[in-house]
Amino acid sequence: MTSHKIEVCHSADLKKLLVEAGVVCARTVPQSEDISLSSEESVKDEPVQEIEAEHEQIVLEEERTYPTEEVAEEQPGIFPTPSLRKMLPEKIRMIEKHNRIHVLPDVFKTDIDPMKIPRICSTHPQKYINELAEITGCKNYMNSLAEFWFLDTLANLLRRAQEDGFEKTSQIVLIQWFCEWMKEIQHFDAATRQRMLKRFKDIMLLAAGYLAQYDELPAPADVGVSYKPEETSGASLPPTASTSKHVVTFEDFQCCLTDLTKITHYIFDL
């Protein structure tokens, strides 16, 4: 519940900043009879004074939660933060991989057709699970509880995104970031909670920097982010914005910034 209140406050602050800057995301959120009254709508019905009081309380809690002085960490050899994997010989790592039970596919699909993304609220659960399995490449979900959990969680994230009015292009980016973060967690064998949160923060700031430069939501590959250390070494912003053959619509900067904020909260809530 606390994370939801923080999300509401962050969204309100972002909306205020955009209005002060003279830009507003004109995209409208689609209304559907299948969508029940969400907790966010109930928060909107509360008196303004209560929301402001909660906002101030959350800000104070955030200030108390995070120390004012950060512990100096060794400069990363791998961008944007040090690898969270143990330094093991490749032979040992291959043996561990062979002995490990199946969790997720070795590689997720990245070439996603936006027209195949199901509308979660109006699609039968078995059907959208099958469609998401085809989109991401999870072919063993009927025999793997881990893959089924992954698909079910992805469906919930897409439901939130679709209720928030995400366009197809933003939904594709959400899928790609969720897949990347699941792979990151799968290989975080040398991570602590603090290092994981720091890496997630750095990755999202990297995505925000790309957005500020190119006015579009970046996929993990666009900013050189990968759970594989050999693929992230020396990564930096690409010289030009990436293009996709599955372009549906172009979103303005303010809409993309709003979507990136929500994507950050969606994944962080996990």
Side-chain angles (χ1 to χ4, degrees), residues 55-102:
H55 189 185
E56 294 177 358
Q57 181 180 357
I58 291 172
V59 171
L60 292 175
E61 290 177 356
E62 288 181 335
E63 292 178 353
R64 289 195 297 266
T65 302
Y66 299 100
T68 55
E69 294 183 3
E70 295 184 358
V71 178
E73 185 173 337
E74 184 179 349
Q75 289 297 320
I78 296 176
F79 189 83
T81 51
S83 173
L84 302 182
R85 305 176 74 192
K86 293 178 181 178
M87 299 300 295
L88 296 175
E90 189 61 27
K91 182 178 180 179
I92 301 299
R93 189 172 293 281
M94 291 299 296
I95 293 176
E96 289 190 353
K97 180 179 179 181
H98 179 75
N99 293 331
R100 190 180 300 124
I101 63 173
H102 173 80

Tab-separated table of all heavy atoms in Angstrom, residues 55-102:
chain	number	residue	atom	x	y	z
A	55	HIS	N	1.249	12.810	1.358
A	55	HIS	CA	2.412	13.123	0.532
A	55	HIS	C	3.569	13.607	1.391
A	55	HIS	O	4.707	13.155	1.257
A	55	HIS	CB	2.032	14.179	-0.502
A	55	HIS	CG	3.118	14.403	-1.520
A	55	HIS	ND1	3.038	15.364	-2.486
A	55	HIS	CD2	4.312	13.785	-1.712
A	55	HIS	CE1	4.131	15.333	-3.224
A	55	HIS	NE2	4.916	14.377	-2.767
A	56	GLU	N	3.279	14.554	2.295
A	56	GLU	CA	4.328	15.070	3.169
A	56	GLU	C	4.890	13.975	4.060
A	56	GLU	O	6.095	13.913	4.305
A	56	GLU	CB	3.764	16.204	4.023
A	56	GLU	CG	3.374	17.442	3.213
A	56	GLU	CD	2.753	18.516	4.086
A	56	GLU	OE1	2.603	18.267	5.298
A	56	GLU	OE2	2.432	19.605	3.557
A	57	GLN	N	4.008	13.089	4.552
A	57	GLN	CA	4.465	12.007	5.403
A	57	GLN	C	5.372	11.049	4.643
A	57	GLN	O	6.399	10.607	5.170
A	57	GLN	CB	3.261	11.235	5.956
A	57	GLN	CG	3.656	10.091	6.897
A	57	GLN	CD	2.440	9.356	7.419
A	57	GLN	OE1	1.310	9.740	7.122
A	57	GLN	NE2	2.671	8.316	8.206
A	58	ILE	N	5.012	10.755	3.391
A	58	ILE	CA	5.828	9.851	2.586
A	58	ILE	C	7.187	10.461	2.297
A	58	ILE	O	8.219	9.795	2.339
A	58	ILE	CB	5.096	9.507	1.268
A	58	ILE	CG1	3.880	8.632	1.572
A	58	ILE	CG2	6.019	8.795	0.291
A	58	ILE	CD1	2.989	8.399	0.371
A	59	VAL	N	7.203	11.766	1.996
A	59	VAL	CA	8.472	12.446	1.745
A	59	VAL	C	9.372	12.370	2.965
A	59	VAL	O	10.573	12.097	2.869
A	59	VAL	CB	8.230	13.913	1.339
A	59	VAL	CG1	9.549	14.667	1.294
A	59	VAL	CG2	7.530	13.983	-0.004
A	60	LEU	N	8.786	12.579	4.152
A	60	LEU	CA	9.568	12.498	5.378
A	60	LEU	C	10.084	11.084	5.606
A	60	LEU	O	11.224	10.887	6.036
A	60	LEU	CB	8.708	12.943	6.569
A	60	LEU	CG	8.329	14.431	6.612
A	60	LEU	CD1	7.390	14.691	7.778
A	60	LEU	CD2	9.579	15.304	6.724
A	61	GLU	N	9.236	10.081	5.323
A	61	GLU	CA	9.671	8.696	5.472
A	61	GLU	C	10.806	8.368	4.523
A	61	GLU	O	11.752	7.657	4.881
A	61	GLU	CB	8.489	7.753	5.228
A	61	GLU	CG	7.441	7.799	6.329
A	61	GLU	CD	6.263	6.903	6.017
A	61	GLU	OE1	6.251	6.318	4.918
A	61	GLU	OE2	5.370	6.778	6.881
A	62	GLU	N	10.728	8.888	3.267
A	62	GLU	CA	11.799	8.645	2.312
A	62	GLU	C	13.095	9.272	2.784
A	62	GLU	O	14.171	8.695	2.646
A	62	GLU	CB	11.410	9.202	0.938
A	62	GLU	CG	10.341	8.379	0.244
A	62	GLU	CD	10.004	8.945	-1.116
A	62	GLU	OE1	10.220	10.161	-1.319
A	62	GLU	OE2	9.543	8.187	-1.973
A	63	GLU	N	12.992	10.479	3.353
A	63	GLU	CA	14.190	11.143	3.848
A	63	GLU	C	14.805	10.381	5.011
A	63	GLU	O	16.022	10.333	5.167
A	63	GLU	CB	13.842	12.564	4.274
A	63	GLU	CG	13.475	13.476	3.104
A	63	GLU	CD	13.080	14.855	3.567
A	63	GLU	OE1	12.960	15.048	4.804
A	63	GLU	OE2	12.885	15.745	2.713
A	64	ARG	N	13.944	9.773	5.855
A	64	ARG	CA	14.479	9.012	6.977
A	64	ARG	C	15.020	7.665	6.518
A	64	ARG	O	15.934	7.121	7.123
A	64	ARG	CB	13.372	8.782	8.019
A	64	ARG	CG	12.967	10.044	8.770
A	64	ARG	CD	12.173	9.668	10.013
A	64	ARG	NE	10.935	8.986	9.669
A	64	ARG	CZ	9.778	9.605	9.535
A	64	ARG	NH1	9.695	10.910	9.695
A	64	ARG	NH2	8.685	8.906	9.234
A	65	THR	N	14.422	7.112	5.468
A	65	THR	CA	14.825	5.787	5.010
A	65	THR	C	16.205	5.794	4.378
A	65	THR	O	17.037	4.925	4.646
A	65	THR	CB	13.806	5.231	3.987
A	65	THR	OG1	12.517	5.194	4.609
A	65	THR	CG2	14.205	3.835	3.532
A	66	TYR	N	16.483	6.790	3.533
A	66	TYR	CA	17.740	6.813	2.800
A	66	TYR	C	18.750	7.698	3.529
A	66	TYR	O	18.455	8.819	3.899
A	66	TYR	CB	17.515	7.346	1.376
A	66	TYR	CG	16.583	6.492	0.582
A	66	TYR	CD1	15.246	6.843	0.419
A	66	TYR	CD2	17.019	5.297	0.009
A	66	TYR	CE1	14.373	6.053	-0.306
A	66	TYR	CE2	16.148	4.495	-0.703
A	66	TYR	CZ	14.831	4.882	-0.855
A	66	TYR	OH	13.980	4.088	-1.567
A	67	PRO	N	19.949	7.188	3.762
A	67	PRO	CA	20.959	7.977	4.467
A	67	PRO	C	21.392	9.177	3.640
A	67	PRO	O	21.382	9.151	2.418
A	67	PRO	CB	22.119	6.980	4.626
A	67	PRO	CG	21.913	5.967	3.537
A	67	PRO	CD	20.423	5.863	3.369
A	68	THR	N	21.765	10.233	4.344
A	68	THR	CA	22.187	11.453	3.655
A	68	THR	C	23.558	11.283	3.029
A	68	THR	O	23.868	11.906	2.028
A	68	THR	CB	22.211	12.627	4.641
A	68	THR	OG1	23.041	12.279	5.764
A	68	THR	CG2	20.789	12.927	5.144
A	69	GLU	N	24.381	10.417	3.621
A	69	GLU	CA	25.719	10.186	3.095
A	69	GLU	C	25.779	8.785	2.499
A	69	GLU	O	25.532	7.801	3.185
A	69	GLU	CB	26.768	10.321	4.196
A	69	GLU	CG	26.881	11.746	4.756
A	69	GLU	CD	27.980	11.844	5.782
A	69	GLU	OE1	28.668	10.810	5.987
A	69	GLU	OE2	28.160	12.923	6.364
A	70	GLU	N	26.097	8.717	1.235
A	70	GLU	CA	26.198	7.426	0.573
A	70	GLU	C	27.591	6.843	0.772
A	70	GLU	O	28.593	7.569	0.755
A	70	GLU	CB	25.918	7.569	-0.920
A	70	GLU	CG	24.491	7.987	-1.231
A	70	GLU	CD	24.237	8.015	-2.717
A	70	GLU	OE1	25.201	7.733	-3.459
A	70	GLU	OE2	23.096	8.312	-3.111
A	71	VAL	N	27.606	5.546	0.963
A	71	VAL	CA	28.891	4.872	1.125
A	71	VAL	C	29.596	4.831	-0.219
A	71	VAL	O	29.017	4.404	-1.226
A	71	VAL	CB	28.687	3.444	1.667
A	71	VAL	CG1	30.029	2.733	1.796
A	71	VAL	CG2	27.952	3.492	3.007
A	72	ALA	N	30.823	5.297	-0.243
A	72	ALA	CA	31.573	5.341	-1.497
A	72	ALA	C	31.797	3.925	-2.009
A	72	ALA	O	32.280	3.058	-1.294
A	72	ALA	CB	32.904	6.045	-1.277
A	73	GLU	N	31.423	3.695	-3.265
A	73	GLU	CA	31.584	2.382	-3.876
A	73	GLU	C	32.618	2.465	-4.976
A	73	GLU	O	32.773	3.488	-5.639
A	73	GLU	CB	30.256	1.901	-4.454
A	73	GLU	CG	30.326	0.484	-4.995
A	73	GLU	CD	28.953	-0.033	-5.404
A	73	GLU	OE1	27.955	0.496	-4.879
A	73	GLU	OE2	28.903	-0.953	-6.238
A	74	GLU	N	33.323	1.383	-5.156
A	74	GLU	CA	34.349	1.343	-6.185
A	74	GLU	C	33.753	1.635	-7.554
A	74	GLU	O	32.658	1.196	-7.872
A	74	GLU	CB	34.999	-0.043	-6.181
A	74	GLU	CG	36.164	-0.172	-7.150
A	74	GLU	CD	36.780	-1.545	-7.083
A	74	GLU	OE1	36.439	-2.289	-6.149
A	74	GLU	OE2	37.598	-1.865	-7.962
A	75	GLN	N	34.467	2.421	-8.347
A	75	GLN	CA	33.969	2.788	-9.666
A	75	GLN	C	33.707	1.541	-10.502
A	75	GLN	O	34.513	0.609	-10.513
A	75	GLN	CB	34.981	3.687	-10.396
A	75	GLN	CG	35.087	5.076	-9.807
A	75	GLN	CD	33.776	5.828	-9.927
A	75	GLN	OE1	33.083	5.742	-10.932
A	75	GLN	NE2	33.420	6.571	-8.878
A	76	PRO	N	32.577	1.492	-11.176
A	76	PRO	CA	32.202	0.274	-11.903
A	76	PRO	C	33.110	0.004	-13.093
A	76	PRO	O	33.491	0.910	-13.818
A	76	PRO	CB	30.771	0.568	-12.368
A	76	PRO	CG	30.695	2.054	-12.430
A	76	PRO	CD	31.573	2.552	-11.314
A	77	GLY	N	33.440	-1.272	-13.246
A	77	GLY	CA	34.150	-1.677	-14.443
A	77	GLY	C	33.177	-2.016	-15.551
A	77	GLY	O	33.547	-2.101	-16.708
A	78	ILE	N	31.925	-2.235	-15.168
A	78	ILE	CA	30.879	-2.556	-16.128
A	78	ILE	C	29.776	-1.530	-15.965
A	78	ILE	O	29.318	-1.265	-14.866
A	78	ILE	CB	30.328	-3.980	-15.893
A	78	ILE	CG1	31.437	-5.010	-16.133
A	78	ILE	CG2	29.143	-4.257	-16.791
A	78	ILE	CD1	31.033	-6.416	-15.837
A	79	PHE	N	29.380	-0.929	-17.046
A	79	PHE	CA	28.401	0.151	-17.016
A	79	PHE	C	26.991	-0.435	-16.992
A	79	PHE	O	26.730	-1.410	-17.687
A	79	PHE	CB	28.572	1.014	-18.275
A	79	PHE	CG	27.773	2.267	-18.260
A	79	PHE	CD1	28.236	3.389	-17.619
A	79	PHE	CD2	26.544	2.322	-18.879
A	79	PHE	CE1	27.507	4.546	-17.612
A	79	PHE	CE2	25.798	3.468	-18.875
A	79	PHE	CZ	26.289	4.586	-18.235
A	80	PRO	N	26.059	0.109	-16.192
A	80	PRO	CA	26.195	1.297	-15.358
A	80	PRO	C	26.686	1.018	-13.947
A	80	PRO	O	27.077	1.916	-13.232
A	80	PRO	CB	24.751	1.822	-15.314
A	80	PRO	CG	23.924	0.592	-15.395
A	80	PRO	CD	24.676	-0.344	-16.280
A	81	THR	N	26.632	-0.226	-13.473
A	81	THR	CA	27.152	-0.572	-12.150
A	81	THR	C	27.910	-1.881	-12.257
A	81	THR	O	27.795	-2.600	-13.245
A	81	THR	CB	26.003	-0.745	-11.137
A	81	THR	OG1	25.039	-1.635	-11.693
A	81	THR	CG2	25.329	0.569	-10.807
A	82	PRO	N	28.699	-2.213	-11.232
A	82	PRO	CA	29.465	-3.465	-11.297
A	82	PRO	C	28.555	-4.663	-11.480
A	82	PRO	O	27.409	-4.669	-11.054
A	82	PRO	CB	30.173	-3.514	-9.946
A	82	PRO	CG	30.206	-2.115	-9.469
A	82	PRO	CD	28.960	-1.469	-10.005
A	83	SER	N	29.090	-5.666	-12.132
A	83	SER	CA	28.322	-6.883	-12.329
A	83	SER	C	27.954	-7.474	-10.985
A	83	SER	O	28.748	-7.470	-10.044
A	83	SER	CB	29.135	-7.901	-13.130
A	83	SER	OG	28.463	-9.140	-13.177
A	84	LEU	N	26.751	-7.977	-10.879
A	84	LEU	CA	26.290	-8.589	-9.641
A	84	LEU	C	26.425	-10.102	-9.697
A	84	LEU	O	25.790	-10.817	-8.949
A	84	LEU	CB	24.835	-8.194	-9.376
A	84	LEU	CG	24.582	-6.698	-9.291
A	84	LEU	CD1	23.125	-6.420	-8.974
A	84	LEU	CD2	25.468	-6.056	-8.243
A	85	ARG	N	27.270	-10.577	-10.588
A	85	ARG	CA	27.521	-12.005	-10.703
A	85	ARG	C	28.874	-12.331	-10.074
A	85	ARG	O	29.795	-11.519	-10.062
A	85	ARG	CB	27.527	-12.444	-12.167
A	85	ARG	CG	26.275	-12.071	-12.929
A	85	ARG	CD	26.393	-12.443	-14.390
A	85	ARG	NE	26.280	-13.878	-14.598
A	85	ARG	CZ	26.565	-14.490	-15.736
A	85	ARG	NH1	27.010	-13.799	-16.766
A	85	ARG	NH2	26.418	-15.780	-15.866
A	86	LYS	N	28.991	-13.526	-9.533
A	86	LYS	CA	30.255	-13.960	-8.957
A	86	LYS	C	31.300	-14.116	-10.059
A	86	LYS	O	30.997	-14.507	-11.179
A	86	LYS	CB	30.060	-15.297	-8.233
A	86	LYS	CG	29.170	-15.209	-7.005
A	86	LYS	CD	28.992	-16.577	-6.380
A	86	LYS	CE	28.073	-16.506	-5.163
A	86	LYS	NZ	27.850	-17.850	-4.568
A	87	MET	N	32.528	-13.819	-9.716
A	87	MET	CA	33.625	-13.990	-10.658
A	87	MET	C	34.049	-15.456	-10.632
A	87	MET	O	34.739	-15.904	-9.722
A	87	MET	CB	34.792	-13.078	-10.292
A	87	MET	CG	34.438	-11.602	-10.312
A	87	MET	SD	33.873	-11.043	-11.937
A	87	MET	CE	35.372	-11.273	-12.896
A	88	LEU	N	33.567	-16.206	-11.610
A	88	LEU	CA	33.855	-17.631	-11.673
A	88	LEU	C	34.477	-17.982	-13.022
A	88	LEU	O	34.158	-17.356	-14.036
A	88	LEU	CB	32.566	-18.453	-11.502
A	88	LEU	CG	31.822	-18.340	-10.165
A	88	LEU	CD1	30.517	-19.114	-10.246
A	88	LEU	CD2	32.674	-18.862	-9.033
A	89	PRO	N	35.345	-18.996	-13.040
A	89	PRO	CA	35.843	-19.495	-14.329
A	89	PRO	C	34.677	-19.985	-15.179
A	89	PRO	O	33.689	-20.498	-14.652
A	89	PRO	CB	36.779	-20.644	-13.934
A	89	PRO	CG	37.133	-20.369	-12.508
A	89	PRO	CD	35.948	-19.689	-11.893
A	90	GLU	N	34.784	-19.817	-16.469
A	90	GLU	CA	33.694	-20.189	-17.364
A	90	GLU	C	33.344	-21.664	-17.239
A	90	GLU	O	32.158	-22.037	-17.326
A	90	GLU	CB	34.082	-19.864	-18.810
A	90	GLU	CG	32.938	-20.018	-19.806
A	90	GLU	CD	31.765	-19.089	-19.494
A	90	GLU	OE1	32.009	-18.021	-18.890
A	90	GLU	OE2	30.627	-19.441	-19.854
A	91	LYS	N	34.330	-22.530	-17.005
A	91	LYS	CA	34.072	-23.961	-16.875
A	91	LYS	C	33.183	-24.232	-15.665
A	91	LYS	O	32.231	-25.023	-15.743
A	91	LYS	CB	35.391	-24.719	-16.750
A	91	LYS	CG	35.220	-26.233	-16.649
A	91	LYS	CD	36.566	-26.934	-16.581
A	91	LYS	CE	36.381	-28.446	-16.480
A	91	LYS	NZ	37.689	-29.156	-16.426
A	92	ILE	N	33.479	-23.560	-14.539
A	92	ILE	CA	32.682	-23.745	-13.326
A	92	ILE	C	31.273	-23.212	-13.536
A	92	ILE	O	30.284	-23.824	-13.112
A	92	ILE	CB	33.346	-23.045	-12.127
A	92	ILE	CG1	34.749	-23.612	-11.888
A	92	ILE	CG2	32.486	-23.186	-10.883
A	92	ILE	CD1	34.766	-25.090	-11.568
A	93	ARG	N	31.167	-22.068	-14.216
A	93	ARG	CA	29.854	-21.494	-14.453
A	93	ARG	C	29.010	-22.415	-15.342
A	93	ARG	O	27.802	-22.547	-15.141
A	93	ARG	CB	29.978	-20.115	-15.099
A	93	ARG	CG	28.654	-19.367	-15.183
A	93	ARG	CD	28.849	-17.941	-15.647
A	93	ARG	NE	29.572	-17.140	-14.693
A	93	ARG	CZ	29.011	-16.613	-13.605
A	93	ARG	NH1	27.730	-16.833	-13.344
A	93	ARG	NH2	29.713	-15.888	-12.775
A	94	MET	N	29.616	-23.049	-16.319
A	94	MET	CA	28.884	-23.965	-17.194
A	94	MET	C	28.405	-25.194	-16.421
A	94	MET	O	27.309	-25.692	-16.655
A	94	MET	CB	29.766	-24.388	-18.368
A	94	MET	CG	30.070	-23.272	-19.360
A	94	MET	SD	28.562	-22.613	-20.134
A	94	MET	CE	27.996	-24.062	-21.027
A	95	ILE	N	29.234	-25.672	-15.480
A	95	ILE	CA	28.828	-26.824	-14.658
A	95	ILE	C	27.637	-26.449	-13.784
A	95	ILE	O	26.667	-27.200	-13.660
A	95	ILE	CB	30.005	-27.306	-13.786
A	95	ILE	CG1	31.107	-27.886	-14.681
A	95	ILE	CG2	29.529	-28.342	-12.768
A	95	ILE	CD1	32.349	-28.295	-13.936
A	96	GLU	N	27.700	-25.253	-13.178
A	96	GLU	CA	26.579	-24.795	-12.344
A	96	GLU	C	25.312	-24.633	-13.175
A	96	GLU	O	24.219	-24.965	-12.722
A	96	GLU	CB	26.941	-23.472	-11.663
A	96	GLU	CG	27.983	-23.615	-10.567
A	96	GLU	CD	28.123	-22.340	-9.758
A	96	GLU	OE1	27.502	-21.324	-10.140
A	96	GLU	OE2	28.843	-22.359	-8.751
A	97	LYS	N	25.465	-24.123	-14.382
A	97	LYS	CA	24.311	-23.955	-15.254
A	97	LYS	C	23.701	-25.306	-15.608
A	97	LYS	O	22.470	-25.454	-15.663
A	97	LYS	CB	24.720	-23.212	-16.525
A	97	LYS	CG	23.574	-22.980	-17.500
A	97	LYS	CD	24.052	-22.225	-18.730
A	97	LYS	CE	22.909	-22.018	-19.717
A	97	LYS	NZ	23.364	-21.293	-20.938
A	98	HIS	N	24.556	-26.308	-15.847
A	98	HIS	CA	24.073	-27.641	-16.204
A	98	HIS	C	23.301	-28.277	-15.047
A	98	HIS	O	22.319	-28.997	-15.261
A	98	HIS	CB	25.252	-28.534	-16.598
A	98	HIS	CG	24.858	-29.933	-16.959
A	98	HIS	ND1	24.250	-30.257	-18.149
A	98	HIS	CD2	24.970	-31.100	-16.256
A	98	HIS	CE1	24.009	-31.558	-18.186
A	98	HIS	NE2	24.437	-32.088	-17.049
A	99	ASN	N	23.739	-28.007	-13.807
A	99	ASN	CA	23.118	-28.620	-12.633
A	99	ASN	C	21.915	-27.827	-12.120
A	99	ASN	O	21.209	-28.294	-11.227
A	99	ASN	CB	24.145	-28.746	-11.501
A	99	ASN	CG	25.252	-29.739	-11.840
A	99	ASN	OD1	25.026	-30.688	-12.589
A	99	ASN	ND2	26.436	-29.519	-11.292
A	100	ARG	N	21.689	-26.648	-12.678
A	100	ARG	CA	20.610	-25.800	-12.198
A	100	ARG	C	19.289	-26.207	-12.865
A	100	ARG	O	19.255	-26.545	-14.051
A	100	ARG	CB	20.923	-24.334	-12.501
A	100	ARG	CG	19.972	-23.338	-11.840
A	100	ARG	CD	20.355	-21.913	-12.203
A	100	ARG	NE	21.708	-21.590	-11.764
A	100	ARG	CZ	22.672	-21.156	-12.566
A	100	ARG	NH1	22.438	-21.025	-13.869
A	100	ARG	NH2	23.863	-20.879	-12.091
A	101	ILE	N	18.206	-26.161	-12.109
A	101	ILE	CA	16.903	-26.490	-12.671
A	101	ILE	C	16.459	-25.386	-13.628
A	101	ILE	O	16.908	-24.244	-13.531
A	101	ILE	CB	15.844	-26.682	-11.569
A	101	ILE	CG1	15.640	-25.368	-10.794
A	101	ILE	CG2	16.208	-27.804	-10.631
A	101	ILE	CD1	14.496	-25.420	-9.812
A	102	HIS	N	15.572	-25.735	-14.538
A	102	HIS	CA	15.082	-24.761	-15.497
A	102	HIS	C	14.232	-23.712	-14.794
A	102	HIS	O	13.342	-24.026	-14.009
A	102	HIS	CB	14.242	-25.450	-16.576
A	102	HIS	CG	13.561	-24.490	-17.510
A	102	HIS	ND1	14.223	-23.882	-18.560
A	102	HIS	CD2	12.291	-24.012	-17.541
A	102	HIS	CE1	13.384	-23.090	-19.203
A	102	HIS	NE2	12.201	-23.151	-18.599
